[in-house]
Amino acid sequence: GRHSMLPRHVQRLGRDWITHWNGSQILALNSPVSSCMRWAGHYPPWASFPLPISADFSANWRFPPFFGTWRQFQNSIWHLDNYTQSCCFHLPNPSMKSEGEEPLTKKRKLCGQDDTSTPEQQTDLSNQKEVSCLSVAQNEEKHGSKKGTIKRHWEYFCQQSKTMKIAKNKGSDQSSTGSEATFDFTVMSYNILSQNLLEDNSHLYRHCRQRLLFWTYRFPNILQEIKELDADVLCLQEVQEDHYRTEIKSSLESLGYHCEYKMRTGRKPDGCAICFKTSKFSLISSNPVEFFRRDIPLLDRDNVGLVLLLQPRFQCKANAAICIANTHLLYNPRRGDIKLTQLAMLLAEIASVASQKDGSFCPIIICGDFNSVPGSPLYRFIKEGKLNYEGLAIGKVSGQEQFPRGQRILSIPIWPKKLGISQNCVYEIKQQQKEENAGEKLETAKPDNTQEVVIAPEKSSSKLRHHFKLSSVYSHYFPETGIPEVTTCHSRSAVTVDYIFYSAANDDTADQPGAEDSFCGGLKLLGRLALVTEKDLWTVNGLPNENNSSDHLPLLAEFRLIER
């Protein structure tokens, strides 16, 4: 009589299930009928996708297909978080965990979280404008949050930045103090997940409900995210060409952006885009980079990059410029040789574009999906400006695999001379011109009685270098716990592969060592949108989900341009 509101066949089914449950093999019965029913924990062997059931429980409920024996069915994994007087079934979201295959309900119990929430916790949405909290559980306790969202907060590195952000006085807060002119702006890096790639790799998204994967559902979410974060510069990866042409470009132009786009050279129709607010910048030059070279067997992949030179519009010197680069390097964990060569080609183009008349570089920002993890040789090369790759296996370059399958050792040199890029990651013609200019100066300064020094040709070196001293906007680990930050999360992995690197001003290097005075001024990091942990993401069923429609999170940072 307690559950008399349920149809008779469902009452019988419930009794059968409850008869056979034990401790961990139980069913959740704690949410309103209007919630969609989903299977708990991992999918049983017979289910390859989530099985949503209509909100009209009595009319449309049906038993899921099962093709094993009743004993096998009894031994499937069920969870009962609470048995309440609600007489309604709700099976929480499935969790496909990348490492250890740990069910979401188990993770919640281990970290002390509770599935239940009060109506009061779900109603107060007034504080959503301050973009985010590192933990969904903490956020729901303190402020309340929309169910299914993960909040991220803004981390400030100077009080003035915080004041300006709260005032939201964009465009009018540029100021100059003493001998330094300042210009503040924000930059976003975001891999928006090409629809073609999503459909070609559907096995990565089995944890998602099918309707959340349609482009018609995803694009409005992505656009809304871009609107809310309101960055002055967008660096987007996996931008599908037909979507860019028909809706992405026009939508962003309506928000005040000018868009530059470079499509991949192969058959996969996506690419990289850099979009900037015309109210903040004007375009000096746009320079696409193709990593495919028909005459070089090593470079047979169709990845691309894009390098823009932008001029700020506010209170800056007439020759002030900022170089913005965007790329998406090869994914294949076993081809570190290709990744390093693609990176060298991008750095050579940046060196060419950002070069000033006095030999220094204008401030540089490099965004993208580098398909490499923090601490890997490729990552260290970007940050430290040098890499000795002698004896390094190609499968270890990106650090994507704990037990790399690519065991072949990198050749010395990695790329052939006809690529035209030196081991210093600059175009060799430029390097020759610099050496000739330096030689002429030396010749002029040399006394007549000085004996000429003959320099032997340089033998192949296993040391790569670049001229930029770059810092990372993100630290990649939470300082209090040491838990890794995550920028991408799907059924197979949850790691950091997306970055924003920048050339730090001299007074911004206390926390980011290694910058040297090879730049005309520099950039000061004012703040960043905090990242989250893998555990945080699985509380909302990973990525993509109802509110985050890519398998990557957007990265966002605020900078101040300092000219000297």
Side-chain angles (χ1 to χ4, degrees):
R2 185 179 179 187
H3 301 288
S4 58
M5 292 177 64
L6 288 176
R8 186 170 300 165
H9 65 284
V10 176
Q11 293 180 44
R12 189 181 306 115
L13 177 61
R15 285 197 301 271
D16 290 341
W17 277 345
I18 292 169
T19 301
H20 296 286
W21 66 271
N22 63 57
S24 64
Q25 295 178 331
I26 44 187
L27 189 66
L29 306 166
N30 62 345
S31 281
V33 170
S34 58
S35 298
C36 182
M37 285 186 60
R38 293 178 292 275
W39 295 113
H42 288 265
Y43 305 110
W46 40 266
S48 59
F49 287 91
L51 301 171
I53 296 175
S54 168
D56 185 356
F57 187 93
S58 60
N60 296 296
W61 191 90
R62 66 182 185 276
F63 194 76
F66 181 73
F67 305 105
T69 65
W70 173 246
R71 179 61 57 187
Q72 288 173 321
F73 177 77
Q74 286 177 287
N75 292 331
S76 297
I77 301 175
W78 307 101
H79 300 280
L80 176 57
D81 294 313
N82 274 313
Y83 189 135
T84 71
Q85 296 189 8
S86 164
C87 35
C88 304
F89 290 94
H90 174 73
L91 299 171
N93 266 344
S95 161
M96 291 291 288
K97 177 86 163 49
S98 60
E99 296 177 11
E101 296 298 322
E102 184 179 47
L104 179 57
T105 43
K106 179 180 176 185
K107 289 174 65 181
R108 284 178 178 158
K109 289 173 185 175
L110 286 174
C111 67
Q113 294 181 17
D114 196 327
D115 265 351
T116 60
S117 60
T118 65
E120 289 77 16
Q121 286 176 307
Q122 298 175 12
T123 54
D124 182 14
L125 305 179
S126 60
N127 295 327
Q128 279 193 337
K129 213 67 182 174
E130 186 71 36
V131 197
S132 123
C133 155
L134 286 176
S135 165
V136 168
Q138 291 173 358
N139 186 66
E140 286 181 355
E141 286 171 14
K142 293 179 182 177
H143 307 293
S145 109
K146 181 180 174 184
K147 191 171 182 181
T149 63
I150 186 158
K151 303 258 307 180
R152 299 168 61 191
H153 69 271
W154 191 265
E155 296 178 328
Y156 300 99
F157 294 100
C158 84
Q159 187 60 36
Q160 188 178 357
S161 169
K162 185 173 184 178
T163 305
M164 291 188 302
K165 200 82 179 176
I166 293 171
K168 293 192 175 180
N169 193 15
K170 282 195 168 187
S172 61
D173 53 31
Q174 316 304 333
S175 61
S176 59
T177 57
S179 61
E180 295 183 355
T182 60
F183 172 77
D184 298 347
F185 62 101
T186 52
V187 176
M188 177 197 289
S189 182
Y190 194 8
N191 182 327
I192 64 172
L193 180 57
S194 156
Q195 191 66 22
N196 274 8
L197 292 178
L198 183 156
E199 291 168 6
D200 289 347
N201 298 278
S202 59
H203 60 282
L204 299 179
Y205 310 105
R206 289 179 180 170
H207 62 284
C208 303
R209 283 185 287 167
Q210 200 67 23
R211 71 177 183 87
L212 305 183
L213 301 179
F214 295 128
W215 178 249
T216 50
Y217 182 93
R218 294 177 54 234
F219 179 60
N221 265 3
I222 291 168
L223 188 61
Q224 183 61 29
E225 211 165 8
I226 290 172
K227 282 181 184 177
E228 288 177 356
L229 296 177
D230 193 32
D232 298 314
V233 180
L234 306 175
C235 292
L236 306 177
Q237 304 89 41
E238 290 193 23
V239 180
Q240 194 163 303
E241 193 275 336
D242 57 337
H243 293 155
Y244 174 78
R245 184 169 23 86
T246 57
E247 51 190 332
I248 296 176
K249 185 172 186 283
S250 58
S251 297
L252 293 178
E253 285 175 343
S254 71
L255 298 177
Y257 291 98
H258 171 84
C259 303
E260 294 288 323
Y261 178 70
K262 175 58 184 172
M263 184 174 143
R264 282 212 262 177
T265 50
R267 290 181 293 176
K268 290 178 180 174
D270 67 278
C272 294
I274 301 179
C275 313
F276 59 88
K277 290 276 186 74
T278 55
S279 60
K280 299 275 284 197
F281 297 96
S282 58
L283 180 65
I284 299 175
S285 67
S286 178
N287 310 272
V289 185
E290 296 182 356
F291 299 144
F292 174 81
R293 287 286 296 267
R294 195 177 302 276
D295 57 333
I296 299 177
L298 174 69
L299 295 172
D300 60 349
R301 308 305 165 96
D302 53 16
N303 305 82
V304 295
L306 185 59
V307 183
L308 301 193
L309 194 62
L310 302 179
Q311 184 170 27
R313 290 190 181 273
F314 296 101
Q315 295 185 12
C316 292
K317 297 175 184 175
N319 61 348
I322 301 172
C323 180
I324 308 283
N326 184 22
T327 193
H328 188 179
L329 299 184
L330 177 71
Y331 167 76
N332 192 335
R334 287 164 282 177
R335 294 308 305 266
D337 50 346
I338 299 178
K339 290 175 192 273
L340 282 172
T341 307
Q342 290 180 347
L343 178 60
M345 295 171 75
L346 181 71
L347 294 173
E349 185 64 26
I350 293 171
S352 176
V353 171
S355 180
Q356 306 281 288
K357 289 181 180 178
D358 62 358
S360 65
F361 298 104
C362 71
I364 293 166
I365 296 174
I366 307 176
C367 299
D369 180 343
F370 290 82
N371 277 314
S372 301
V373 303
S376 65
L378 187 142
Y379 173 88
R380 293 202 313 272
F381 174 52
I382 295 173
K383 279 199 68 176
E384 297 171 8
K386 58 186 179 180
L387 174 67
N388 186 349
Y389 60 86
E390 184 174 5
L392 180 62
I394 59 173
K396 292 184 178 180
V397 169
S398 64
Q400 290 164 280
E401 295 180 329
Q402 189 175 2
F403 304 103
R405 288 170 287 173
Q407 296 299 323
R408 181 166 58 84
I409 302 301
L410 287 166
S411 61
I412 303 176
I414 298 174
W415 57 82
K417 192 169 181 62
K418 66 179 177 180
L419 180 59
I421 294 175
S422 74
Q423 297 290 289
N424 291 326
C425 298
V426 296
Y427 294 125
E428 288 194 318
I429 295 173
K430 295 265 183 187
Q431 184 158 318
Q432 286 170 6
Q433 289 173 348
K434 281 189 177 180
E435 288 170 356
E436 287 170 7
N437 292 339
E440 286 172 8
K441 289 179 183 177
L442 186 64
E443 189 69 36
T444 305
K446 185 172 64 177
D448 293 337
N449 61 350
T450 304
Q451 192 173 9
E452 289 221 12
V453 178
V454 178
I455 299 173
E458 183 185 355
K459 76 166 193 173
S460 292
S461 170
S462 62
K463 295 177 181 177
L464 293 180
R465 290 185 175 85
H466 66 75
H467 297 293
F468 318 121
K469 297 299 180 181
L470 300 170
S471 300
S472 173
V473 163
Y474 290 91
S475 53
H476 316 308
Y477 297 90
F478 290 95
E480 304 85 6
T481 61
I483 296 173
E485 297 172 338
V486 167
T487 68
T488 182
C489 179
H490 50 63
S491 294
R492 286 198 174 177
S493 69
V495 292
T496 286
V497 293
D498 307 278
Y499 303 93
I500 301 177
F501 297 105
Y502 69 103
S503 51
N506 286 342
D507 60 351
D508 195 39
T509 57
D511 296 325
Q512 307 277 3
E516 64 181 24
D517 198 15
S518 60
F519 290 87
C520 182
L523 296 168
K524 182 176 182 64
L525 180 62
L526 300 181
R528 66 190 178 197
L529 185 62
L531 287 169
V532 297
T533 66
E534 179 183 3
K535 185 176 85 172
D536 292 328
L537 285 175
W538 282 116
T539 63
V540 291
N541 202 38
L543 296 172
N545 56 53
E546 285 194 17
N547 300 289
N548 309 97
S549 286
S550 173
D551 58 349
H552 292 248
L553 292 172
L555 279 56
L556 181 67
E558 183 177 19
F559 297 101
R560 173 167 296 163
L561 172 63
I562 298 175
E563 296 180 293
R564 301 198 184 275

